[in-house]
């Protein structure tokens, strides 16, 4: 007899129901895939992602839940969307949904992990929703590599800068050849660009944000922090403009603003 498997369809259906239990009735399809990618990378969550995999495109940091989404959108009637904004999904699951099928396919710990996943996604959504500027939270170790840049894009000053409580462990300026060949430059052909790769150590959070002409465009936050108080403080950092002379290009050095969480 084959071992029962927690399928991709099971995963999406149970996750959406648990999100409703956490007060989330609306999800952005693309952002959800990106958030799930980082949980998929975490070995602790292996059981619940047994039939969910990364995107086949290695340059795309997303979990591929296409089959599960198609099933929920087109066969169940539990997910609605507006044709003008098809990426925004409205969840309409019954509150008394029978969960016995999923309890049979998951261990006790696996079911707890699904609840934890939904809780963390809901917490992230609530922090993002009240942000002054576009904000995305991702559950991952912030001690990683980041690409920072400063230059001109479409006639405007643009910078990608980092805010963290960590320290710069490594930095490397990109040569013109490396710059032109980098995937980042292909997406954002910055003129007169100063670009560097930076890695962090000893950090509990990192904010990577884009600023154009002293206007914050978006911020991505990478952290395992689950404290509502600390996440709200991180959100405030992400939405605060600092002095222009403290940008990353100051004196030819990649600038990482260090802000402690107290």
């Amino acid at each position: 007899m084959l071992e029962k498997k927690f399928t991709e369809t099971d995963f999406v259906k149970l996750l959406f129901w648990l999100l409703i239990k956490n007060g989330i009735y609306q999800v952005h399809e693309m952002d959800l895939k990106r958030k799930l990618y980082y949980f998929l990378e975490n070995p602790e969550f292996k059981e619940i992602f047994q039939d969910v995999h990364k995107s086949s495109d290695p340059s795309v940091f997303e979990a591929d839940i296409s089959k599960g989404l198609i099933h929920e959108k087109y066969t169940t009637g539990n997910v609605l969307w507006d044709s003008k904004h098809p990426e925004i999904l409205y969840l309409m699951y019954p509150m008394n949904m029978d969960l016995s099928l999923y309890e049979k396919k998951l261990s006790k710990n696996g079911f707890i992990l699904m609840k934890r996943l939904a809780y963390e996604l809901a917490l992230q959504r609530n922090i993002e929703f009240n942000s002054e500027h576009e904000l995305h939270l991702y559950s991952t170790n912030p001690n990683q590599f980041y690409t920072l840049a400063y230059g001109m894009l479409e006639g405007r000053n643009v910078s990608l800068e980092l805010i963290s409580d960590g320290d710069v462990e490594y930095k490397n300026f990109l040569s013109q050849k490396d710059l032109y060949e980098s995937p980042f430059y292909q997406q954002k052909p910055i003129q007169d660009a100063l670009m560097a790769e930076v890695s962090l150590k000893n950090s509990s959070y990192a904010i990577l944000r884009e600023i154009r002409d002293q206007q914050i465009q978006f911020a991505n936050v990478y952290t395992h922090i689950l404290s509502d108080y600390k996440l709200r403080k991180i959100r405030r950092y992400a939405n605060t403009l600092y002095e222009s002379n403290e940008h990353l290009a100051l004196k030819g050095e990649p600038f990482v603003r260090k802000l402690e969480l107290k």
Side-chain angles (χ1 to χ4, degrees):
M1 182 177 179
L2 292 175
E3 182 182 355
K4 290 187 170 104
K5 190 176 184 182
F6 187 61
T7 68
E8 179 184 321
T9 300
D10 294 330
F11 172 84
V12 173
K13 183 185 290 289
L14 181 56
L15 175 61
F16 281 177
W17 185 82
L18 289 171
L19 284 175
I20 285 182
K21 295 291 284 185
N22 281 274
I24 302 299
Y25 294 85
Q26 177 181 317
V27 297
H28 189 290
E29 183 174 324
M30 190 67 68
D31 192 51
L32 176 63
K33 291 178 180 179
R34 289 171 180 164
K35 289 182 182 300
L36 291 177
Y37 172 88
Y38 293 101
F39 289 98
L40 177 58
E41 284 269 277
N42 187 340
E44 186 179 358
F45 288 85
K46 181 179 180 180
E47 180 181 352
I48 64 175
F49 287 105
Q50 58 188 270
D51 193 38
V52 177
H53 308 283
K54 300 175 186 177
S55 168
S56 58
D57 183 346
S59 67
V60 176
F61 300 109
E62 295 176 358
D64 184 359
I65 52 172
S66 303
K67 289 185 295 183
L69 287 174
I70 289 173
H71 180 269
E72 291 305 296
K73 290 168 69 174
Y74 296 104
T75 67
T76 69
N78 293 325
V79 177
L80 305 178
W81 65 96
D82 184 336
S83 59
K84 293 182 180 179
H85 301 284
E87 73 282 0
I88 299 176
L89 308 180
Y90 300 92
L91 311 183
M92 309 290 290
Y93 290 78
M95 297 302 289
N96 60 344
M97 193 169 77
D98 182 10
L99 302 182
S100 60
L101 173 66
Y102 310 107
E103 292 174 331
K104 292 177 182 177
K105 293 186 176 185
L106 290 169
S107 67
K108 182 178 180 180
N109 183 60
F111 204 80
I112 291 173
L113 286 173
M114 282 299 301
K115 290 181 177 180
R116 177 179 153 192
L117 172 63
Y119 168 78
E120 292 193 27
L121 290 173
L123 176 61
Q124 292 173 353
R125 179 70 184 92
N126 289 331
I127 295 294
E128 293 167 348
F129 184 76
N130 292 294
S131 177
E132 181 181 351
H133 301 284
E134 181 180 341
L135 181 69
H136 304 279
L137 272 69
Y138 300 110
S139 180
T140 189
N141 185 351
N143 294 307
Q144 54 181 287
F145 278 88
Y146 301 89
T147 299
L148 306 181
Y150 184 84
M152 297 290 294
L153 182 64
E154 299 172 349
R156 303 168 66 186
N157 287 308
V158 61
S159 65
L160 267 182
E161 55 186 35
L162 202 60
I163 301 171
S164 177
D165 58 352
D167 302 305
V168 175
E169 181 176 41
Y170 167 86
K171 61 185 176 184
N172 177 50
F173 284 97
L174 299 186
S175 67
Q176 287 298 311
K177 180 178 182 295
D178 292 336
L179 169 63
Y180 295 145
E181 293 178 353
S182 70
F184 175 85
Y185 183 82
Q186 304 304 320
Q187 297 176 2
K188 296 181 183 292
I190 298 175
Q191 297 174 335
D192 302 321
L194 174 65
M195 192 172 296
E197 293 177 340
V198 172
S199 69
L200 294 179
K201 64 179 180 180
N202 306 321
S203 64
S204 67
Y205 79 93
I207 303 168
L208 180 67
R209 65 181 188 174
E210 180 177 312
I211 297 177
R212 297 194 190 187
D213 288 346
Q214 286 296 91
Q215 297 292 321
I216 299 170
Q217 303 300 302
F218 70 86
N220 292 340
V221 175
Y222 305 93
T223 184
H224 281 309
I225 291 173
L226 295 176
S227 162
D228 182 74
Y229 170 76
K230 289 185 177 180
L231 289 176
R232 283 188 280 114
K233 180 171 282 192
I234 290 171
R235 181 180 64 199
R236 187 169 74 249
Y237 292 165
N239 283 287
T240 300
L241 272 175
Y242 300 100
E243 293 296 326
S244 60
N245 65 357
E246 294 176 320
H247 279 170
L248 95 96
L250 181 64
K251 298 180 180 178
E253 291 291 331
F255 179 75
V256 179
R257 171 177 286 275
K258 187 169 183 177
L259 292 176
E260 300 287 352
L261 287 176
K262 298 179 179 179

